[in-house]
Every structure is written in C-alpha cells, then in structure tokens.
Amino acid sequence: MPVATPEIYAAMLDKAKAESFAYPAINVSSSQTLNAALAGFAEAGSDGIIQVSTGGAEYFSGPTVKDMVSGSLAFAAFAQEVAKKYPVNVALHTDHCPKDKLDGFVRPLLAASAERVAGGGLPYFQSHMWDGSAVPLDENLVIAQELLEKAAAAHIILEVEIGVVGGEEDGVEAEINDKLYTTPEDALATAEALGLGEKGRYLTALTFGNVHGVYKPGNVKLRPEVLKAAQDAVSAKYGQDAPFDFVFHGGSGSLPEEISAAVDYGVVKMNVDTDTQYAFTRPVVGHMFSNYDGVLKVDGEVGNKKAYDPRAWGKAAEAGMAARVVEACQNLRSAGTSL
C-alpha cells in the first residue's frame, strides 16, 4: 500500500488506542534496513511506523554529505515507492530532534511539507518529533506550541518528549536518575500548553524510567504507573478519558509485563532501534565467519564473488531484522491488526 495519508495515520493511532495495542516504530538508516522493516510488518500483518533519526538522516544523504534534510527527503521518496508493494500501511516519522538541530532538520521539513500541501499534495512525513528533554519544561512547551501550529497546518502530527530519557542516542545523553520520571504536574502543564487535540494532534513521550541503549531485562527500572497517573490527572481536570496518546522510548531490556502495562495505559507507539540494529548485524557476522575464505582473498587467492556480493549477506541481514520487527509486533499486540 502507499505510505499512509494523514487520515490513515490518524485512523491507525485511533485503532491502537481503542484496541489497546501499540505500533513498533522502527529506526532505519539505509534502503536495506527500510526494506527489512517493511518485510517484517508485512509478515506480521501489522501496520507500522518507520522513522529516521538525525544521524540516520545524515547517513541517508551520504556519509560525506551529512545533510539531514536531503537524507530525510531521500528516505521519504524511497519509502513512498517501495511501500506500494506491501499489504500494510506504514507512516513515516522523524525521531529525536534536540533544540540545536531544529533549524537543520524539523523546521525545514515542516516547511517543505507545508509547501507541498499548499499545492494540493500530501506531507512528506506523517509525524515529527521535537525532543525538548534537555531544556526546561517551560521552554520545551513554548517551542512545542510553535511546532504544533506548523505541523497542524501541514496535516502532520507532532511528537513531544516531556521528561528525560536516560542513556545516549545520536549524541543526546542524559544521566540515569530520578529525573527520568515525569510528574502529573508536567502532564497538566503539557495539556494546558498544547491542548487536547483542538490545537492539533500530538503524541506524548512521557518518561517513566526509560533508558536508551543496551540493558539486560530487569536492569531498567521502569514505572509504567507514571503514565496512568498522568492520564488520571489530566482526565480529572478536563473530563476527557485517557486524553494522551503515549510513546514509549528506550524500551531495550524492558520486561514483557512492563511493556504490556505501558500499552494498557495509553502507549500507541514504541520506538525500536537498538534491538533491530543487532538483529540486522548478527547474521552478517555469521556470514563473514562462515565464509571467511570467500569474503577475503586469503593467501593470494581470489575469494568467492558469491560470498562477498553485498546481496549475499544483505539478504540474511534483512531477514534477521525483519524477524525482530515481527517479534516487536507480537509483543505490542499489533500483529494481525492492519487496517
């Protein structure tokens, strides 16, 4: 199917909220990882979200070019074309964008989509993320208000991060401490600043102990009840049941029951990056070790073209990552739910 329209994306999120499941949001940085994500969603019978980070966008543009906007638009154009051959809907999203990269990433992409929409077309992306976790909440929300207005005008959903995610991703790093837990007061401030849909739809990444990176199960101290407390506080003030659509960041190492609880409390999108990176790379390592005398010209030999052809190990890599996407769909209950 073609990449989701704004209306299809909204319907996807509504369905996830109503039926208590979440979509895996798979980070990609190449045509191979994009194809793997699409194959995984198709195998699972799940719609999904495919996203690119600032670093991923730079890589898409070429490692010597490193232009986030060019890379993002190239990613979107490629995805638009290849997604047509798959029987599921996928939405395109840009991941973590801190304050110092807004002018080189999200703002120009919003402007490009606004121009396209004004001409009767569709936006390049269905959602963008503003990562204000490194600035004070007041400043975070002021910037979010500006971006939400622009996003809504371009028929795009904004994702905001309210709180701090520990660990490191694409150069954004935070300590692992008590600041990782968003308070009900933070949630109320978000609702007051951004509204509850009347100013434009947004996704909310509240933090409940989330940590980016690689951790064994049980080492990440998640408290999904933080999400329930936020929903309850805003619901009590505004009379709207479960008002937030939540995003789950830093999920590597999370226990199944923690993921399940988070989805029950309103998570509709869960970012998956570290696990799929490993799932893509591990088969490559196996191929190289098993075919070392083919991929290397050992002792003056010529090697084996069939072994070092990038398609030989690339197929295995894509299959490994696709399998991890299927697992994510199953864990988040989105398998078999395609619109």
Side-chain angles (χ1 to χ4, degrees):
M1 295 180 185
V3 166
T5 63
E7 293 76 18
I8 292 293
Y9 189 33
M12 286 168 54
L13 297 174
D14 290 342
K15 180 178 176 69
K17 187 75 166 290
E19 299 181 13
S20 193
F21 66 86
Y23 295 107
I26 307 299
N27 280 72
V28 301
S29 56
S30 66
S31 60
Q32 284 184 304
T33 51
L34 172 55
N35 282 330
L38 287 168
F41 283 128
E43 183 178 343
S46 171
D47 298 329
I49 300 166
I50 300 178
Q51 58 191 27
V52 62
S53 66
T54 56
E58 283 187 343
Y59 193 77
F60 259 112
S61 74
T64 61
V65 176
K66 295 185 177 181
D67 184 278
M68 293 181 287
V69 174
S70 294
S72 297
L73 294 176
F75 154 71
F78 186 81
Q80 283 280 357
E81 192 59 38
V82 295
K84 296 174 184 176
K85 301 297 183 180
Y86 291 87
V88 291
N89 301 289
V90 290
L92 307 183
H93 175 81
T94 61
D95 200 12
H96 293 271
C97 181
K99 181 182 176 181
D100 63 344
K101 294 185 177 179
L102 280 172
D103 288 338
F105 192 38
V106 166
R107 285 190 177 114
L109 288 174
L110 282 171
S113 282
E115 182 178 357
R116 202 182 198 199
V117 169
L122 295 170
Y124 289 101
F125 286 84
Q126 286 64 60
S127 52
H128 292 293
M129 183 193 175
W130 148 235
D131 183 353
S133 61
V135 302
L137 181 61
D138 288 349
E139 182 182 2
N140 183 348
L141 292 174
V142 167
I143 294 172
Q145 287 175 314
E146 171 231 329
L147 295 174
L148 181 61
E149 181 178 0
K150 292 178 178 178
H155 307 159
I156 293 170
I157 294 172
L158 183 69
E159 179 182 329
V160 297
E161 182 157 12
I162 307 300
V164 178
V165 174
E168 186 274 334
E169 181 175 50
D170 270 355
V172 179
E173 187 169 357
E175 295 182 10
I176 300 173
N177 54 34
D178 288 344
K179 293 182 180 179
L180 304 185
Y181 302 97
T182 306
T183 66
E185 290 72 25
D186 296 336
L188 287 166
T190 301
E192 182 176 354
L194 304 183
L196 294 176
E198 70 277 8
K199 298 179 182 180
R201 187 165 188 172
Y202 62 94
L203 306 175
T204 315
L206 298 190
T207 57
F208 52 102
N210 318 58
V211 177
H212 288 135
V214 185
Y215 298 87
K216 292 182 179 180
N219 285 3
V220 178
K221 307 303 180 184
L222 292 177
R223 290 167 45 198
E225 63 271 17
V226 166
L227 301 179
K228 185 177 186 304
Q231 295 278 38
D232 290 346
V234 176
S235 180
K237 180 172 181 178
Y238 293 95
Q240 184 173 325
D241 186 44
F244 287 127
D245 294 331
F246 287 134
V247 179
F248 187 162
H249 290 182
S252 296
S254 302
L255 298 172
E257 57 267 29
E258 293 169 335
I259 296 175
S260 180
V263 172
D264 287 340
Y265 296 146
V267 165
V268 295
K269 172 180 181 281
M270 180 175 176
N271 291 5
V272 183
D273 188 12
T274 302
D275 289 354
T276 47
Q277 287 178 344
Y278 181 79
F280 182 87
T281 302
R282 180 62 183 85
V284 180
V285 176
H287 177 87
M288 299 305 173
F289 280 148
S290 300
N291 298 278
Y292 76 93
D293 54 347
V295 298
L296 298 175
K297 296 181 178 181
V298 179
D299 297 331
E301 294 296 329
V302 296
N304 182 350
K305 183 182 184 301
K306 291 183 178 179
Y308 61 72
D309 185 329
R311 290 169 294 183
W313 52 262
K315 290 178 182 177
E318 290 179 32
M321 180 171 166
R324 183 60 185 85
V325 173
V326 172
E327 181 184 344
C329 293
Q330 293 168 342
N331 292 340
L332 293 171
R333 313 172 196 159
S334 70
T337 66
S338 180
L339 289 175

